[in-house]
Amino acid sequence: MIILVIYAFLAIGIIFQTSGVIALHQFPDVYTRLHGSTKCTTFGSIFIYLAVIVYGAWFAFSGQPEYAVLSIHTLIVMVLLLVTNPTGAHAIARAAYRSGVMPKGAVVDMLKEKYRVGKK
Amino acid sequence: MAVLAVAFVFSFLFYLVLTAGSGKVLFWSIEEIGFGLVFAAFTAVLAKKFFCSTGTKLGFRSLNPKRWVFFLIYAIGPLFFEMAKANIEVAYRMITKKIKPGIVKISPGMKSDFGTMMVANGITLTPGTLSVDVDEKGNIYVHWIFVESKNPKLEDVCSSFPKWIRRIAE
């Protein structure tokens, strides 16, 4: 029964990760690609971590307490990923804009005004 | 001095969490507890500048357990739900290739740097939006994959996040 839950988490995680990879190839420029890569990798990884946490807890409760460490460490990694992944995407997007990569086919670009005002 | 003590207690607790299950004194071995005390002292000296710093305009108020409970509810409830929606949205855009990108500006009106950072992180994880830049007044420039209006309201871009984050970080 528990093994089915673990397989379900792994399957959901891999489906989302795969959609992130396909998004990288489908979208036209760096900003839209970042949409795919950040959201899908964060959410997909969370499900894979949940599978690991359930696996560790299962072994810990069936008489091997050293497996509890696995669950705790994975939980901490999950929180850290939730904080660092969007921050990294923000850094890439900002660096791309400042080095002159314009969003492709943008209908509105309010950031242009900020840097034009800054230069004068 | 108080900051040093709080930083020491927190790093020691964190060390205990990381090494749970190592021995027989409750869950830890004597050696782990001893080394934990030494390393926690080192970490407290190093982290003194950042921990509960006044740069976040929170200081010791960040130790209020109410904020931690709100953070947990926020992470499990609204944030998780929006992330699920975001992934389905990306999959939809990827298949149909129906995109209308643009960069818009929103003012969440957070008073502290920490709050602005949490809102920006939330925006990146919600459907169709990605934070690109921040200015000194706390306005966030958001890359929107399907622009609905050129002067968006706050709720269109980051749903109910500012309300939650005001409770957590201000």
Side-chain angles (χ1 to χ4, degrees), chain B residues 97-112:
Chain B
K97 288 205 172 177
K98 213 190 273 175
I99 57 171
K100 192 168 112 187
I103 294 180
V104 295
K105 176 179 167 185
I106 58 159
S107 329
M110 289 292 151
K111 280 179 225 121
S112 62

Side-chain angles (χ1 to χ4, degrees), chain B residues 40-51:
Chain B
F42 272 123
T43 316
V45 173
L46 290 176
K48 192 174 63 175
K49 257 191 231 162
F50 318 106
F51 206 84

